[in-house]
Amino acid sequence: SQRSLAEITELIHTAFLVHRGIVNIGELKSCDGPLKDMQFGNKMAVLSGDFLLANACTSLAQLQNTKVVELISSAIGDLVQGIYYENSKSSEENCLTDDIGISSWKEQVFLSHSALLAKSCQAAMELAKHSAEIQDMAFQYGKHMSMSHKLHSDLQPFVKESSSDTMAFSLNSAPAVLHQEFLGREAWIKQIRELREAIKAGKGVTSAIDLCRCHGNRALAALERFPPSEARAALANIVYAVTRFP
């Protein structure tokens, strides 16, 4: 049943990745290709993602555990809410100047990245008939490990010297695109490089590394409540991998 739960979790994750591939038809240009091909691709993305979700829900029902169904269903709801929040913020022209704050960032990341893994870890303990305390420790491990992983991913453009300057930031708003067109590609890359270097020279990167390790330590603390085993060591190694920086 725990292996089935892992497969269900991966199905849900993959389904949402497929759905994220849907293209905004209204933003397409003639150079992007035939419109009918993009529309067909969108239909396939919707249908494929829905097919995976349907299979996940069918397998979830076969586990015959109402609490597990409730946990995973709520995780799907969290994912939808998190992705909706991301899309609504990215569509605003002033999204680059909004004062989001780290607490809002954590809330958004939990919904769109951490909730599924955290609740799946908790559900795995429910299937094994562990106590509520052990289930909470599994939830805490999944939550803080995935938060640490997201921070590790966000830090790569600033701590990895070989990272591409053009991939360091995701500035896809209309003002940024138009600014690039008027400024020219070379000048735009220069500005991005200067901005990245300014961020690297400030306290943001070191603070993010500290926060990444903080979540990693909290994940390890939750893991210590479980008896020593090969599985526990493997889970700890995942945390070590995402909290290690050059």
Side-chain angles (χ1 to χ4, degrees), residues 223-242:
L223 202 57
E224 288 178 358
R225 301 297 299 273
F226 294 87
S229 66
E230 186 176 338
R232 194 182 89 165
L235 291 172
N237 285 336
I238 295 174
V239 177
Y240 296 143
V242 298

Side-chain angles (χ1 to χ4, degrees), residues 146-204:
S146 56
M147 293 284 286
S148 185
H149 179 269
K150 182 64 170 63
L151 283 159
H152 183 273
S153 177
D154 286 355
L155 277 161
Q156 290 311 297
F158 304 101
V159 300
K160 192 174 181 180
E161 293 299 330
S162 60
S163 61
S164 171
D165 292 329
T166 58
M167 296 178 63
F169 300 93
S170 179
L171 303 179
N172 295 321
S173 63
V177 173
L178 291 170
H179 175 73
Q180 176 184 343
E181 288 185 357
F182 287 118
L183 193 64
R185 183 67 176 172
E186 292 301 321
W188 168 250
I189 294 298
K190 183 178 182 226
Q191 284 191 353
I192 290 296
R193 188 182 297 113
E194 290 173 351
L195 177 57
R196 189 180 70 167
E197 292 303 319
I199 294 174
K200 287 174 65 175
K203 295 182 179 179

Side-chain angles (χ1 to χ4, degrees), residues 9-224:
T9 302
E10 188 58 35
L11 272 176
I12 294 170
H13 176 64
T14 304
F16 275 89
L17 289 179
V18 172
H19 278 162
R20 281 173 181 259
I22 296 173
V23 176
N24 187 345
I25 299 295
E27 295 180 354
L28 293 178
K29 301 177 182 178
S30 57
C31 60
D32 292 324
L35 182 62
K36 63 178 182 179
D37 290 347
M38 296 297 181
Q39 291 174 331
F40 178 76
N42 276 357
K43 291 178 181 178
M44 291 303 298
V46 172
L47 290 173
S48 300
D50 288 350
F51 175 75
L52 293 175
L53 274 177
N55 280 346
C57 292
T58 301
S59 300
L60 189 60
Q62 291 173 350
L63 292 177
Q64 298 182 346
N65 187 305
T66 55
K67 184 175 181 181
V68 170
V69 172
E70 180 184 354
L71 281 169
I72 302 303
S73 298
S74 66
I76 293 175
D78 291 336
L79 270 171
V80 172
Q81 185 178 346
I83 293 171
Y84 177 82
Y85 179 80
E86 286 181 356
N87 291 340
S88 64
K89 295 299 289 184
S90 63
S91 64
E92 297 177 5
E93 291 186 1
N94 63 343
C95 63
L96 298 179
T97 58
D98 280 348
D99 185 11
I100 298 175
I102 193 64
S103 59
S104 297
W105 181 90
K106 286 183 179 180
E107 180 181 357
Q108 179 182 332
V109 168
F110 173 77
L111 291 172
S112 58
H113 291 83
S114 302
L116 179 61
L117 182 59
K119 293 183 177 180
S120 294
C121 289
Q122 181 180 352
M125 296 300 98
E126 164 65 22
L127 289 173
K129 302 187 184 305
H130 283 296
S131 65
E133 182 184 4
I134 294 299
Q135 290 182 34
D136 182 62
M137 289 299 104
F139 176 91
Q140 295 299 327
Y141 171 81
K143 173 185 175 181
H144 292 293
M145 193 282 290
S146 56
M147 293 284 286
S148 185
H149 179 269
K150 182 64 170 63
L151 283 159
H152 183 273
S153 177
D154 286 355
L155 277 161
Q156 290 311 297
F158 304 101
V159 300
K160 192 174 181 180
E161 293 299 330
S162 60
S163 61
S164 171
D165 292 329
T166 58
M167 296 178 63
F169 300 93
S170 179
L171 303 179
N172 295 321
S173 63
V177 173
L178 291 170
H179 175 73
Q180 176 184 343
E181 288 185 357
F182 287 118
L183 193 64
R185 183 67 176 172
E186 292 301 321
W188 168 250
I189 294 298
K190 183 178 182 226
Q191 284 191 353
I192 290 296
R193 188 182 297 113
E194 290 173 351
L195 177 57
R196 189 180 70 167
E197 292 303 319
I199 294 174
K200 287 174 65 175
K203 295 182 179 179
V205 173
T206 55
S207 296
I209 292 175
D210 291 340
L211 184 60
C212 177
R213 289 172 175 162
C214 175
H215 282 290
N217 289 335
R218 293 179 70 176
L220 291 173
L223 202 57
E224 288 178 358

